[in-house]
């Protein structure tokens, strides 16, 4: 018995996602990178690296993780690099993608001086996105992410090998069509001068109902217009989508106008997107309020009043010690979790392909202590 709370990755589900991504690679001849921002459980990378081509990193730490633990291609982008990091980042990256023409001017030659083979790129802003939430819209008003066509300097095209855009958030291939149209309309004139285009992340490829054939057609049409271009996708969420759970226990049940179960986890610290997106995590065996007889608010054990996962109904009354299992907790959870309020971080466990469960990480008091001084 593993002590709760813990995240449990199911490698068999991860492999199904990877096989689907691999299928797209086979049909289109593109490369697919894992976005470490969304999923960085590196003790599963021996499986991921069998199917994907490398990682996309945002800055020096993710680049190091890709280099050390994934060991294939490393594509590093940052909204703004620090000069002191260029040496390390350039040395271990295959692609280095700048966010602005000023960063490209500042650090492009410097990066080349550390690594002659590095392929430089520029992130552009296609100024088109159907992102459902402004927090996740890289093309929103006043966005700092990517260079707009007005800020683009044609003379710099000789300095770069590729262009990068990222404008999707949990979206279908139909939304990508709009982005690619906008990208081509604005930057199409430069595509004959470069070697690669990176279509970013946000492709919800592994979600049921995602239109995979539309994606394959879109990419193959694009390639027929620009056969010289290598295309990259860099999904994060789609890799970890529905591959595992957060297993927690009920510590207490209190009553104040309704029944409230306090868990040994925290929405704020361990599943922050439930609060900031916000979204409602599925709970195994539970339904919407009103569907089943017994309703509870599930809440965290931090002192934040709003540390609440949501209200759920159950077939049977809950009791202290019962397990509550949150579904789909692999992406944007571990990478975002904090030790806020001293709430212990969940352990990390993996059910390997052969069925054995391995606890790959446990956290102790020192992990909290050493982050605060
Ligand atoms: C966040 C991000 C990704 C991954 O996005 P997902 O929604 O997890 O697929 C890829 N590229 C860039 C530049 C990003 O910022």
């Amino acid at each position: 018995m593993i002590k709760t709370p813990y995240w449990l990755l199911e490698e068999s589900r991860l492999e199904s996602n990877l096989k689907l991504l691999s299928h797209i690679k086979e049909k289109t001849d593109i490369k697919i990178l894992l976005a470490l921002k969304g999923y960085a459980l590196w003790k599963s990378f021996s499986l991921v690296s069998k199917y994907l081509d490398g990682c996309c990193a945002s800055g020096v730490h993710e680049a190091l993780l890709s280099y050390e633990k994934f060991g294939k291609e490393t594509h590093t982008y940052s909204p703004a690099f620090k000069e002191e990091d260029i040496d390390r980042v350039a040395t271990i990256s295959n692609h280095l993608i700048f966010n602005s023409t000023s960063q490209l001017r500042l650090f492009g030659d410097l990066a080349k001086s550390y690594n002659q083979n590095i392929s430089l790129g520029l992130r552009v802003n296609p100024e088109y996105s159907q992102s459902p939430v402004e927090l996740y819209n890289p093309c929103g008003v006043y966005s700092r992410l990517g260079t707009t066509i007005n800020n683009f300097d044609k003379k710099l095209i000789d300095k770069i090998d590729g262009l990068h855009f990222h404008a999707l958030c949990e979206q279908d291939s139909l939304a990508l069509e709009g982005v690619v149209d906008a990208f081509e309309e604005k930057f199409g004139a430069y595509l004959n001068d470069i070697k690669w285009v990176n279509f970013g992340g946000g492709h919800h490829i592994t979600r049921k109902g995602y239109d995979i054939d539309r994606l394959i057609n879109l990419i193959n049409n694009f390639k027929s217009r620009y056969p010289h271009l290598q295309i990259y996708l860099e999904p994060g969420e789609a890799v970890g989508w529905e591959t595992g759970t957060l297993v927690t226990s009920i510590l207490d049940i209190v009553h104040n106008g309704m029944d409230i179960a306090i868990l040994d986890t925290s929405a704020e610290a361990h599943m922050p997107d439930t609060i900031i997106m916000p979204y409602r995590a599925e709970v195994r065996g539970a339904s919407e309020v009103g569907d089943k007889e017994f309703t509870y608010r599930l809440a965290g054990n931090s002192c934040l009043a709003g540390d609440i996962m949501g209200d759920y109904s159950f077939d049977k009354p809950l009791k202290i010690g019962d397990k509550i299992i949150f579904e789909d907790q692999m992406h944007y959870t571990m990478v975002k979790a904090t030790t806020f309020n001293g709430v212990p971080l969940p352990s990390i466990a993996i059910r390997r392909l052969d069925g054995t469960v391995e606890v790959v990480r446990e956290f102790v008091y020192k992990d909290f202590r050493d982050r605060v001084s």
Side-chain angles (χ1 to χ4, degrees):
M1 281 285 277
I2 309 170
K3 277 203 294 188
T4 64
Y6 60 92
W7 281 293
L8 177 61
L9 168 72
E10 304 282 350
E11 273 195 340
S12 60
R13 294 209 201 171
L14 179 63
E15 192 170 47
S16 312
N17 286 352
L18 295 167
K19 283 187 167 152
L20 182 58
L21 296 169
S22 215
H23 166 75
I24 292 166
K25 283 175 44 175
E26 276 159 28
K27 294 281 177 192
T28 56
D29 203 26
I30 60 168
K31 290 188 176 180
I32 301 186
L33 310 168
L34 162 67
L36 293 176
K37 186 182 81 200
Y39 179 89
L41 204 181
W42 53 266
K43 289 203 173 154
S44 67
F45 284 2
S46 57
L47 181 62
V48 183
S49 64
K50 279 192 203 154
Y51 295 92
L52 303 188
D53 300 285
C55 298
C56 91
S58 322
V60 61
H61 285 177
E62 286 186 356
L64 283 164
L65 188 69
S66 166
Y67 179 74
E68 263 183 32
K69 301 296 182 192
F70 204 97
K72 291 173 89 174
E73 293 183 30
T74 298
H75 295 220
T76 310
Y77 156 82
S78 173
F81 287 103
K82 282 188 162 177
E83 181 164 4
E84 70 206 45
D85 290 333
I86 296 293
D87 180 355
R88 254 196 320 180
V89 160
T91 309
I92 59 176
S93 301
N94 302 83
H95 286 199
L96 189 59
I97 302 163
F98 294 104
N99 185 58
S100 68
T101 54
S102 83
Q103 282 249 310
L104 173 59
R105 279 199 193 89
L106 271 173
F107 300 138
D109 290 339
L110 184 64
K112 285 253 173 202
S113 76
Y114 292 121
N115 177 0
Q116 286 174 12
N117 298 323
I118 199 156
S119 193
L120 300 182
L122 182 71
R123 174 167 175 175
V124 297
N125 177 352
E127 297 176 75
Y128 174 95
S129 170
Q130 302 174 6
S131 173
V133 186
E134 209 45 29
L135 178 66
Y136 298 109
N137 183 358
C139 305
V141 199
Y142 308 132
S143 173
R144 71 191 182 293
L145 303 171
T147 302
T148 58
I149 188 69
N150 282 340
N151 289 324
F152 185 68
D153 180 350
K154 295 181 186 95
K155 290 191 293 277
L156 285 175
I157 203 76
D158 297 338
K159 293 247 176 236
I160 56 177
D161 294 327
L163 292 176
H164 172 287
F165 62 80
H166 169 72
L168 300 180
C169 171
E170 299 191 331
Q171 281 168 304
D172 207 300
S173 38
L174 186 60
L176 178 63
E177 272 183 14
V179 176
V180 169
D181 284 349
F183 167 73
E184 242 184 299
E185 194 188 307
K186 296 190 168 75
F187 297 96
Y190 307 105
L191 298 184
N192 286 326
D193 301 323
I194 58 173
K195 297 182 185 147
W196 52 263
V197 174
N198 187 321
F199 283 13
H203 317 276
H204 222 174
I205 295 166
T206 49
R207 181 181 58 190
K208 271 190 210 74
Y210 180 96
D211 193 341
I212 290 164
D213 291 332
R214 186 187 285 270
L215 176 69
I216 291 171
N217 288 335
L218 185 166
I219 294 170
N220 285 335
N221 283 332
F222 189 88
K223 282 178 69 96
S224 67
R225 295 194 292 286
Y226 310 102
H228 64 290
L229 289 178
Q230 172 67 53
I231 295 170
Y232 294 88
L233 300 188
E234 45 182 36
E237 178 152 352
V239 176
W241 180 249
E242 292 187 337
T243 56
T245 53
L246 174 61
V247 183
T248 71
S249 300
I250 298 177
L251 299 178
D252 197 9
I253 297 176
V254 297
H255 314 279
N256 182 8
M258 70 182 299
D259 297 325
I260 304 151
I262 302 178
L263 309 178
D264 59 359
T265 185
S266 160
E268 168 72 18
H270 306 152
M271 36 203 308
D273 282 351
T274 56
I275 295 177
I276 66 171
M277 178 93 172
Y279 86 103
R280 179 186 167 87
E282 290 292 317
V283 170
R284 192 168 297 177
S287 291
E288 298 290 324
V289 173
D291 285 357
K292 297 184 172 191
E293 198 178 338
F294 302 96
T295 291
Y296 292 83
R297 171 160 295 181
L298 300 181
N301 62 344
S302 81
C303 297
L304 174 75
D307 191 345
I308 292 164
M309 293 81 176
D311 297 347
Y312 296 84
S313 69
F314 296 82
D315 288 322
K316 286 191 300 198
L318 299 180
K319 56 185 193 312
I320 291 172
D322 282 356
K323 285 214 169 73
I324 296 289
I325 301 176
F326 293 94
E327 303 284 0
D328 194 20
Q329 292 300 309
M330 287 296 113
H331 54 88
Y332 293 103
T333 51
M334 279 160 249
V335 289
K336 287 190 144 194
T338 69
T339 56
F340 172 62
N341 220 179
V343 180
L345 284 163
S347 306
I348 302 174
I350 301 180
R351 194 189 316 273
R352 299 291 185 187
L353 290 176
D354 66 6
T356 56
V357 175
E358 194 184 326
V359 178
V360 296
R361 183 75 160 101
E362 284 173 296
F363 296 92
V364 292
Y365 162 61
K366 210 157 82 61
D367 296 303
F368 164 63
R369 184 193 69 191
D370 293 355
R371 285 185 55 173
V372 280
S373 44

